[in-house]
Amino acid sequence: MKKLLSLIGVSLLALVLAVPAFAAAKPISVYVNGSSLTFPAGAPYLDNNSVLVPFRVVFEKLGMQVLWDAKTGTVTGTSANLTISLKIGSNRASVNGTVKKLTVAPVSSKGTTYVPLRFVAEATGGTAVWDAVNRSVKITTAVSTAASDEKAITALIKQAVQYYNEEKAVSYYSLVDDGDSYTDEVSSLNSFFQNYDMETTLETLKILSIQGDEATVYTVENEIRTGGYYMPDEKVEYLYNLVRTNGVWKISEINAQEKTVLLTREQGMKSADIPQGYATTIKDNLNKYFQAMTSENIDGTMAQMSSYGEEYDASSKADLQDIFDNYDLQYTLNTSNIYYYASGEAAVYAEVTVKDAGTGETYEQPMIFLYYQSETGTWTIDDFYYLD
């Protein structure tokens, strides 16, 4: 007798949309966050232990816009961060482009398309619980959770920017997944903070998707120099990949998508106050650089650039060789102006005509070159930027 009672208890606790045969005649009720749904196009029914319902009422109640493609028999529900597609007769569905297997395929009956209720509820982040006694399905949506996640994710990105501006490397990496193991990265970031002073402001923050314990965020950030070694101001578009670890959102990866240097031609053509001897040396170096590039002279090009050891130089030479092997370009330096100068460093605005010797096509390319002076007094190119 105890064994029988135990089996009955297990069956009542099972979270499957299954119905005992003796209750088959009783209509099935569906509730979303306690509100009863009405299905004017057809009543919910059971198939292979799954409840199927007319799609439109459920999709719209779950906050999704509905698109019906009669030619392909495909129903699609979309919201800000989610797209679900199901097709009549197919046991495969798509959730944000990822294929999912269905227990029961959508069907068409008397002009109405029915979809599996549990799948739709769970795909939108909710839960579906079957009440065998009352023959009802109770759906609880994840609306409040999604709102909470968006708030937490937004706070995380803003906190990361704040720690960066405050030059708190350890605090910054505490926001990164497995941040305790980022010893080298913390040291590298501290070295950057010692040499550069930057102020970052968030211009745009948009949460692109939240799927389970993963999220993607797009930002546009203005990175403005406030002191330290020179680097041009930039507007940068980033993609942040986030993961939820032990219930807390963390940054797992950051990728720069697009960078725009915030320097106008007028700013670039405004001359800095620099000793004439230095100015002559720097401009002579830049001319030699483009002459070497045009003649595809690797050693001549490298002679105008800063060296950071054998490994760095070998990598730079390999990159140059790859360019020379794949392109036949000629460079003409039309204009150059030193618009920034401080002890041991300078920035040059340059306008260059680049010609493809093979096709004869030309285009104009404005650039920035950063120069540093070595302990021996030699000026060399340390970095460069392309301008739009």
Side-chain angles (χ1 to χ4, degrees):
M1 182 62 178
K2 290 182 179 180
K3 182 177 180 180
L4 177 60
L5 289 174
S6 177
L7 290 174
I8 292 174
V10 170
S11 66
L12 290 177
L13 291 173
L15 299 181
V16 295
L17 302 184
V19 181
F22 66 83
K26 187 177 180 180
I28 296 174
S29 300
V30 177
Y31 299 88
V32 175
N33 294 331
S35 298
S36 177
L37 299 189
T38 301
F39 297 92
Y45 70 95
L46 280 165
D47 183 8
N48 192 26
N49 289 336
S50 292
V51 172
L52 284 88
V53 297
F55 71 86
R56 186 173 298 276
V57 173
V58 171
F59 271 85
E60 292 180 348
K61 186 64 177 179
L62 294 175
M64 308 191 78
Q65 295 182 337
V66 182
L67 175 64
W68 165 248
D69 188 337
K71 292 183 178 179
T72 62
T74 302
V75 58
T76 302
T78 60
S79 63
N81 302 312
L82 182 65
T83 299
I84 306 173
S85 292
L86 305 97
K87 185 176 182 179
I88 292 174
S90 174
N91 65 350
R92 295 290 188 272
S94 171
V95 180
N96 281 346
T98 301
V99 176
K100 303 288 186 178
K101 187 176 181 179
L102 302 174
T103 303
V104 176
V107 299
S108 178
S109 176
K110 298 180 180 179
T112 298
T113 298
Y114 292 78
V115 296
L117 180 58
R118 177 182 288 278
F119 174 82
V120 174
E122 293 182 347
T124 57
T127 59
V129 178
W130 171 251
D131 183 340
V133 175
N134 296 306
R135 282 180 55 81
S136 65
V137 181
K138 296 180 179 179
I139 296 174
T140 302
T141 68
V143 173
S144 59
T145 301
S148 176
D149 284 340
E150 290 182 2
K151 183 177 180 180
I153 289 170
T154 300
L156 170 66
I157 303 300
K158 290 182 176 180
Q159 185 69 76
V161 171
Q162 180 180 332
Y163 283 152
Y164 187 88
N165 287 335
E166 293 173 351
E167 298 190 349
K168 296 179 178 179
V170 174
S171 297
Y172 179 86
Y173 274 100
S174 72
L175 306 179
V176 177
D177 188 34
D178 293 329
D180 291 341
S181 64
Y182 282 93
T183 304
D184 292 340
E185 286 80 358
V186 168
S187 177
S188 177
L189 187 56
N190 274 323
S191 295
F192 177 86
F193 290 152
Q194 289 174 5
N195 292 300
Y196 298 91
D197 294 322
M198 306 294 295
E199 182 75 20
T200 297
T201 57
L202 273 171
E203 183 177 295
T204 302
L205 191 159
K206 183 178 181 181
I207 300 174
L208 300 182
S209 68
I210 303 175
Q211 299 181 45
D213 291 330
E214 298 181 356
T216 304
V217 180
Y218 165 84
T219 67
V220 178
E221 303 177 24
N222 291 325
E223 300 177 352
I224 309 301
R225 174 180 177 268
T226 58
Y229 290 136
Y230 179 81
M231 62 190 309
D233 299 341
E234 290 185 291
K235 176 180 291 188
V236 188
E237 298 178 31
Y238 287 107
L239 274 184
Y240 287 77
N241 293 325
L242 311 180
V243 295
R244 180 166 25 209
T245 303
N246 298 323
V248 178
W249 286 103
K250 297 270 190 173
I251 299 169
S252 62
E253 189 176 18
I254 306 174
N255 293 302
Q257 302 298 297
E258 190 74 29
K259 292 186 177 184
T260 303
V261 176
L262 302 177
L263 182 81
T264 65
R265 186 181 191 278
E266 181 181 8
Q267 292 169 329
M269 291 301 293
K270 185 176 181 180
S271 297
D273 185 11
I274 179 173
Q276 185 57 44
Y278 289 164
T280 300
T281 299
I282 290 171
K283 289 190 175 184
D284 181 61
N285 170 285
L286 191 58
N287 275 296
K288 289 179 179 179
Y289 170 82
F290 282 115
Q291 290 170 6
M293 287 289 290
T294 297
S295 62
E296 299 186 353
N297 182 343
I298 291 180
D299 290 335
T301 303
M302 292 292 297
Q304 315 309 318
M305 300 170 63
S306 300
S307 173
Y308 290 98
E310 294 182 3
E311 184 176 347
Y312 174 89
D313 291 349
S315 176
S316 297
K317 287 183 177 181
D319 290 340
L320 283 170
Q321 187 64 61
D322 184 59
I323 292 173
F324 295 153
D325 287 344
N326 291 280
Y327 302 96
D328 187 6
L329 303 177
Q330 298 174 352
Y331 302 86
T332 302
L333 178 59
N334 301 317
T335 301
S336 66
N337 179 66
I338 301 171
Y339 70 91
Y340 173 84
Y341 169 77
S343 178
E345 59 176 345
V348 181
Y349 170 80
E351 294 178 353
V352 184
T353 298
V354 184
K355 180 179 180 180
D356 188 322
T359 65
E361 296 180 354
T362 63
Y363 64 92
E364 305 302 317
Q365 179 63 70
M367 301 179 67
I368 292 175
F369 288 85
L370 301 190
Y371 276 83
Y372 285 105
Q373 187 180 33
S374 68
E375 294 180 356
T376 61
T378 303
W379 287 91
T380 51
I381 298 170
D382 194 78
D383 204 352
F384 62 87
Y385 299 78
Y386 293 107
L387 305 180
D388 292 337

